Amino acid sequence: MSRATPTDTTMDAPPRLAVDRLLDDPQTRIVVCCGAGGVGKTTTAAALGVRAAERGRKVVVLTIDPARRLAQSMGIDSLDNTPRRVKGVGGADGGELHAMMLDMKRTFDEIVEGHSDPERAQAILANPFYQSLSAGFAGTQEYMAMEKLGQLRARDDWDLIIVDTPPSRSALDFLDAPGRLGSFLDGKFIRVLMAPAKVGGRAGMKFLNVGMSMMTGTLSKLMGASLLKDVQTFVAAMDTMFGGFRTRADATFQLLQAPGTAFLVVSAPEPDALREAAYFVERLAAERMPLAGLVLNRVHGSGADQLSAERALAAAENLEEGGIVDQESGKAGLRDSTDADADTDSATRSATDPDARTGRESDAVGTDGMKNDAVTNDAMKNDALYADVLDADVDEITAGLLRLHAERMQVIAREQRTRDRFTSLHPEVAVAEVAALPGDVHDLAGLRAIGERLAAGVPAGA
């Protein structure tokens, strides 16, 4: 199920993603940037946040990027679990930009503190099994990202929330994790461990020893007696909260399916990245998630695409091989042989002609002048040699540039073929292509440049 967003279409190209219309639409309340790792999700989320704020929206960007590049690019010393205002971003329409970075453990702690009394909360927070679970259990980061999204949406302090999804091995972890963690905390294993606590006191211990002695013996061997005790203590303290995890996981999933949410699949024009993007598009459709379109990052373009790679390589070879392609047939060496014949005739006349000998004797008077002329001739020869070397350097540099252009055109052609394979499978998906920048984005100016390219939707020079 795709979100109905305004797009521009042509006969030969996929529909163009109208990014500004998406950001300006007051019905758009959540934008989720998702995709494989290393494709530019964090930069895309930040650039969208800057652009939306400067177009009048009150925006908060939630990143899960541990590299802290978002904070650096926005001129903030550090980000934490509390949204912070980004200075220098906004407009006359009252737009604001806030940014935060998910603190997974702190978010889990907030859930515990918000859903239990202080004494029980303290017991849970101090439990070794809880500390391990909240810090590194598989899927916890993705689940807590969705918990934080739900908290931000409930506060209603911002009219647009942009989420940078976790850098997972698989993009599908983002959708699967809430349900997976909820199932674990509400599953059979947890219910078995909760049973003695529910019976309570000595009766509970008797139940544990008589009814499940074999099971607990096995668990003690696998987990260790100390860890098993920590797990049972944790389960007893969390008893009243387990149902809430499942409820919130379901509510978050419904929030992601709501009409006010828009998914942007971020990719690079590489086969592996677009293969995963295609898989994600299909999964979003299967889960009835509202897809806005595909952001194709780091796309190469050229302002001289009329010169093909083949012609550029041919011209480079021509320069490197001494103009062999341009030399007229049968003319090579003609000028040099003519000059040599002229020199031979002159020497013969000089040796046999008396007048010529008399002339040489007369010219002896001007020997000093001839020496001066010889010095001048040597200087002219040096200048000519320098000019030849300079011409050779220019040819070499030109040939190198032609080869670089040929490589660029080959990259462009390869990226085009890769994109065409994706669009042939999903012709309905709107696409915004973002031109590759010469360097990394490290400040607000760079984020604005990315935002402009997102809005344009086509690479520079294309």
Side-chain angles (χ1 to χ4, degrees), residues 84-262:
R84 297 180 181 274
R85 178 77 180 270
V86 179
K87 298 179 181 179
V89 177
D93 297 332
E96 296 179 2
L97 177 62
H98 294 75
M100 62 181 298
M101 187 177 72
L102 177 73
D103 184 329
M104 178 178 64
K105 187 178 187 309
R106 182 57 200 151
T107 300
F108 211 150
D109 292 349
E110 290 172 354
I111 296 173
V112 171
E113 293 167 350
H115 293 84
S116 57
D117 59 77
E119 183 177 353
R120 177 169 292 190
Q122 185 59 37
I124 295 172
L125 297 178
N127 184 275
F129 179 74
Y130 167 77
Q131 293 174 358
S132 176
L133 175 69
S134 61
F137 186 79
T140 303
Q141 186 181 51
E142 289 84 354
Y143 181 89
M144 291 306 147
M146 293 298 90
E147 282 276 357
K148 182 57 68 175
L149 172 60
Q151 293 175 11
L152 294 173
R153 186 68 181 84
R155 288 173 58 178
D156 209 29
D157 292 337
W158 301 275
D159 56 30
L160 179 61
I161 303 169
I162 299 177
V163 182
D164 162 36
T165 57
S168 306
R169 290 182 61 187
S170 170
L172 302 181
D173 289 347
F174 179 69
L175 294 178
D176 291 335
R180 188 167 60 245
L181 185 60
S183 296
F184 168 75
L185 294 175
D186 196 28
K188 291 181 179 179
F189 175 69
I190 293 294
R191 289 202 300 270
V192 167
L193 293 176
M194 286 171 60
K198 287 188 174 182
V199 175
R202 292 183 178 178
M205 293 304 296
K206 183 178 180 180
F207 173 81
L208 179 62
N209 291 330
V210 175
M212 295 186 296
S213 58
M214 293 182 62
M215 176 180 176
T216 54
T218 302
L219 288 174
S220 294
K221 292 179 181 178
L222 293 174
M223 304 169 60
S226 177
L227 177 58
L228 178 59
K229 182 179 179 181
D230 290 338
V231 172
Q232 291 171 336
T233 304
F234 164 76
V235 169
M238 293 280 286
D239 183 14
T240 59
M241 296 181 58
F242 287 125
F245 281 103
R246 168 65 70 179
T247 300
R248 285 192 300 276
D250 292 343
T252 299
F253 208 77
Q254 293 173 3
L255 180 64
L256 294 176
Q257 292 175 321
T261 300

Side-chain angles (χ1 to χ4, degrees), residues 31-35 41 44-45 48 162-165 262-266:
V31 173
V32 181
C33 297
C34 53
K41 294 191 301 292
T44 298
L48 289 171
I162 299 177
V163 182
D164 162 36
T165 57
F263 278 83
L264 288 176
V265 178
V266 183

Side-chain angles (χ1 to χ4, degrees), residues 20 22-26 28-29 47-60 85 89-98 157-160:
D20 282 345
L22 177 67
L23 298 178
D24 293 344
D25 185 356
T28 303
R29 301 299 303 275
L48 289 171
V50 171
R51 191 164 185 85
E54 294 186 338
R55 296 176 70 87
R57 303 294 298 271
K58 291 186 177 180
V59 188
V60 59
R85 178 77 180 270
V89 177
D93 297 332
E96 296 179 2
L97 177 62
H98 294 75
D157 292 337
W158 301 275
D159 56 30
L160 179 61

